[in-house]
Amino acid sequence: MATEGWTDVLTDEQVDRFWRDGYLLVEGVLTAEEVERYRRAALGLLPDDLSLPAHWYVHHGRIKPMRSPDDDMFDTPELLPLMGNERLHAVMARLFGTHRLRAFDGSVGITLRNDGLADRVLSQDLHIDASVPADVDFLFTPEEVQLGGCYYLTDVEPNGGGIHVVPGGHRLLEEEVRAARAAGENGRALHEAWKRVTHLDSVEVTGPAGSFALLHHLVPHGASHNRRPTTRVAQFMRYVREGHPHGADRPRPRDRYDAAQLAAMTPLTRRLLGLDPWE
Ligand SMILES: O=C(O)CCC(=O)C(=O)O
Ligand SMILES: [Fe+2]
């Protein structure tokens, strides 16, 4: 089936580097034709007159389209195939050690050039987006791991709005949380529940269009200002194993999908969304 060959999709060196650094740029996940199609679909979310709906998020040149005030998942027929991409699933299966995964997120981030705030690199506080509720302590088990990141749908050159990550940040976070626990403190609550991390240094992840910038869920990361003319277009994805301890593997509700969306799904997409069971 679709996952054939997933064991050799990354080299052992890439796998080791990912678990050591907590991030990895995987090139060539999308073909040039796919990049062009999805980039157009993502930019096609922008209204013709560039009047951005009030419920969209716009900050320092970064536009986050929203389907509704509390829904940022763009699983339209055009963009839905990104959620069931075979190559990204193979990369994830290699790292998780199983192909029985659930995929979610599907949000889009479009970063225009911003000439302001010249003394600042980041346009967003470093944070984590772990599927661990803010009032629940980390388990630090393999079952809890969520792997995510973004497809780059444009070339991202240095200072071009690439996602910033803290190298080794997942290990730094675990050490800090465990030290706090040992001191009788709540490590989960540190740094505003790890949504405002100001004490760690980050680097920009650059790469050609068609790459996936892969992140461990405990790596603090944040958006950066784009200083280049090329508008950065990215689509975000997250994966967990079936049986996630905090319920992040819940299937998508069936009534979310109309005939056009269902027609855009492959058998792999249906399993990743939880509409069909894994064998
Ligand atoms: O757009 C980016 O580069 C990162 C955005 C991000 O991490 C977020 O919005 O949670
Ligand atoms: Fe984030």
Side-chain angles (χ1 to χ4, degrees):
M1 65 167 277
T3 50
E4 231 171 277
W6 61 269
T7 45
D8 49 38
V9 70
L10 296 176
T11 64
D12 290 347
E13 190 275 330
Q14 282 178 303
V15 172
D16 291 347
R17 191 147 44 90
F18 173 74
W19 292 113
R20 185 193 69 204
D21 296 346
Y23 75 98
L24 180 73
L25 185 86
V26 186
E27 292 190 28
V29 175
L30 301 177
T31 65
E33 185 273 323
E34 287 171 321
V35 165
E36 182 58 16
R37 186 151 38 92
Y38 297 128
R39 187 184 62 84
R40 282 177 187 277
L43 290 174
L45 300 172
L46 299 171
D48 285 348
D49 65 356
L50 290 184
S51 296
L52 306 179
H55 63 282
W56 285 24
Y57 178 95
V58 186
H59 191 72
H60 293 320
R62 190 167 60 96
I63 301 170
K64 192 171 161 182
M66 300 291 293
R67 295 196 83 165
S68 66
D70 53 7
D71 185 1
D72 60 5
M73 183 184 286
F74 280 92
D75 48 6
T76 58
E78 295 74 30
L79 286 166
L80 204 145
L82 281 176
M83 304 190 74
N85 181 274
E86 290 184 16
R87 280 175 297 276
L88 185 59
H89 175 239
V91 167
M92 294 294 178
R94 170 80 155 100
L95 292 169
F96 278 110
T98 173
H99 62 271
R100 300 166 72 99
L101 303 173
R102 189 78 70 236
F104 54 103
D105 198 331
S107 59
V108 170
I110 298 169
T111 313
L112 308 173
R113 192 179 87 208
N114 176 21
D115 298 334
L117 298 169
D119 56 331
R120 305 217 198 131
V121 172
L122 296 177
S123 66
Q124 185 184 39
D125 288 324
L126 294 173
H127 63 277
I128 61 167
D129 298 314
S131 290
V132 182
D135 58 349
V136 173
D137 210 351
F138 300 111
L139 300 170
F140 299 124
T141 58
E143 292 74 26
E144 186 180 59
V145 169
Q146 168 200 283
L147 302 179
C150 53
Y151 292 102
Y152 281 161
L153 301 176
T154 46
D155 291 333
V156 180
E157 294 184 32
N159 305 313
I163 190 165
H164 264 247
V165 301
V166 176
H170 56 322
R171 289 183 287 115
L172 298 174
L173 180 150
E174 182 170 346
E175 277 168 28
E176 206 176 316
V177 169
R178 288 192 188 279
R181 266 185 208 168
E185 289 156 22
N186 180 1
R188 179 68 182 96
L190 290 171
H191 315 295
E192 297 181 28
W194 295 90
K195 283 292 185 192
R196 221 177 125 75
V197 177
T198 54
H199 65 302
L200 298 174
D201 293 327
S202 60
V203 299
E204 185 180 20
V205 182
T206 59
S211 304
F212 192 86
L214 179 64
L215 266 66
H216 186 285
H217 70 131
L218 298 180
V219 166
H221 64 274
S224 69
H225 293 286
N226 184 358
R227 306 304 187 185
R228 292 185 177 264
T230 304
T231 292
R232 187 212 68 167
V233 183
Q235 196 263 16
F236 293 81
M237 284 305 304
R238 300 193 244 169
Y239 291 73
V240 293
R241 287 188 187 83
E242 264 192 330
H244 187 263
H246 310 297
D249 62 333
R250 65 188 163 276
R252 298 273 81 72
R254 275 168 195 272
D255 62 6
R256 184 179 173 94
Y257 303 111
D258 63 20
Q261 286 167 303
L262 291 170
M265 292 180 193
T266 62
L268 174 63
T269 314
R270 295 180 61 90
R271 291 191 176 107
L272 284 168
L273 296 177
L275 301 182
D276 287 341
W278 287 103
E279 291 125 15

